[in-house]
Amino acid sequence: MTEPVRLSKRMSELGLSSRREADEWIARGWVRVDGQVVSELGSKVLPGQKITVERQAAAEQSKRVTVLINKPVGFVSGQAEDGYKPAVTLIKPENRWPEDPSDEQFHPTQLRSLVPAGRLDIDSVGLLVLTQDGRIAKQLIGETTSIEKEYLVRVQYTKPGKLPDADLKKLCFGLWMDGKPLLPAKVRWQNDDQLSFTLKEGRKRQIRRMCDMVGLKVVGLKRVRIGKVKLGDLPVGQWRYLRADEQF
């Protein structure tokens, strides 16, 4: 006999919504289990039971926006800290990329519950995703995510000579952090002082710490791609909407 699980957790596992969205919809009576409305928070279901959501839920979800921003140095990804502004404060009409191909109209309600799906250090620049859609957040930062993130990293070698090939291989696989092995990464030279890192995880200050382990000092770090979505020509400090035809 399979154990019952919370309905909101099961909806998240099925990709119907985030857990928070699921709880909102359950409370509004928008969720059915085997055809019956379930409106009590904390209700449990068996894995084989059929879960459906009312049309209103899908309509509300489709109104949720996802924004791509080229984060400048000096802005934090999430909540304001130590006097630094969060990246969401850049999401205003005057900072929208004039070449944004989306027909979406900006409205202040889009700033409500617009949260970063992944972090970029205060000293790092490049592609940051802010979303109101719990499904996208789960896709990008959920525990089971396998979406690649690509970075261009300018470095200085702090020892004589140049970085040995054996240490480049270590960056690709073999380093440990916080007592756990890092997942395999793709690391290669772009030119004499710049590496390309492609990762499937994002531990705190991971690239800077990886470089430190092999004697490299990070001088600049820029995220240029998340999954299939590229930073492209988006200027620093400007933003655009994720298009309907774009998928991570």
Side-chain angles (χ1 to χ4, degrees):
M1 176 85 174
T2 314
E3 290 292 308
V5 294
R6 278 181 75 110
L7 176 54
S8 56
K9 181 173 189 246
R10 184 67 182 137
M11 288 172 66
S12 170
E13 287 170 355
L14 293 169
L16 294 170
S17 66
S18 67
R19 287 199 203 186
R20 192 173 64 187
E21 274 175 331
D23 281 336
E24 279 176 30
W25 297 353
I26 292 163
R28 291 184 183 189
W30 288 354
V31 180
R32 292 175 183 263
V33 177
D34 293 338
Q36 300 295 312
V37 172
V38 175
S39 56
E40 192 178 324
L41 292 176
S43 297
K44 295 195 170 185
V45 292
L46 290 166
Q49 291 187 278
K50 187 180 181 192
I51 301 168
T52 52
V53 295
E54 302 294 333
R55 278 206 301 269
Q56 301 99 302
E60 190 172 273
Q61 209 168 38
S62 70
K63 285 189 283 189
R64 302 195 168 177
V65 298
T66 296
V67 167
L68 311 175
I69 186 166
N70 187 344
K71 187 189 91 65
V73 167
F75 284 79
V76 291
S77 301
Q79 301 293 322
E81 53 186 79
D82 300 333
Y84 292 108
K85 288 183 177 177
V88 71
T89 57
L90 292 166
I91 311 295
K92 43 193 175 186
E94 58 267 35
N95 291 341
R96 185 174 179 180
W97 188 31
E99 293 177 43
D100 184 355
S102 171
D103 297 330
E104 186 78 52
Q105 295 295 307
F106 176 77
H107 193 274
T109 55
Q110 292 167 355
L111 298 174
R112 221 178 282 151
S113 307
L114 191 67
V115 294
R119 294 170 52 90
L120 263 183
D121 295 340
I122 193 164
D123 308 320
S124 303
V125 301
L127 184 57
L128 182 68
V129 177
L130 300 164
T131 186
Q132 293 179 310
D133 191 333
R135 294 167 304 171
I136 285 179
K138 181 170 186 281
Q139 192 182 38
L140 298 188
I141 55 175
E143 288 172 21
T144 56
T145 185
S146 61
I147 289 182
E148 289 186 341
K149 299 172 182 77
E150 186 181 347
Y151 304 80
L152 294 180
V153 186
R154 203 164 288 288
V155 291
Q156 286 174 351
Y157 194 43
T158 58
K159 299 175 185 176
K162 61 185 210 126
L163 183 76
D165 287 344
D167 282 347
L168 184 66
K169 282 181 183 160
K170 268 191 207 166
L171 288 172
C172 293
F173 189 58
L175 295 178
W176 285 60
M177 198 173 283
D178 305 324
K180 291 182 192 165
L182 292 172
L183 293 177
K186 294 176 198 158
V187 184
R188 60 183 187 276
W189 287 106
Q190 294 288 101
N191 52 47
D192 288 345
D193 66 347
Q194 187 166 267
L195 287 162
S196 158
F197 274 73
T198 302
L199 308 178
K200 287 190 177 179
E201 62 187 329
R203 302 202 205 169
K204 195 167 183 184
R205 297 181 80 80
Q206 178 172 336
I207 291 175
R208 293 174 192 276
R209 290 165 71 193
M210 287 171 77
C211 286
D212 199 38
M213 289 175 193
V214 296
L216 289 170
K217 181 186 174 194
V218 172
V219 181
L221 192 153
K222 178 181 188 178
R223 184 157 62 202
V224 293
R225 177 175 68 84
I226 298 176
K228 295 178 185 169
V229 176
K230 293 180 179 175
L231 179 65
D233 298 327
L234 185 62
V236 174
Q238 293 189 16
W239 61 273
R240 69 173 179 87
Y241 290 103
L242 182 74
R243 299 193 312 269
D245 65 331
E246 284 182 299
Q247 298 249 322
F248 289 102

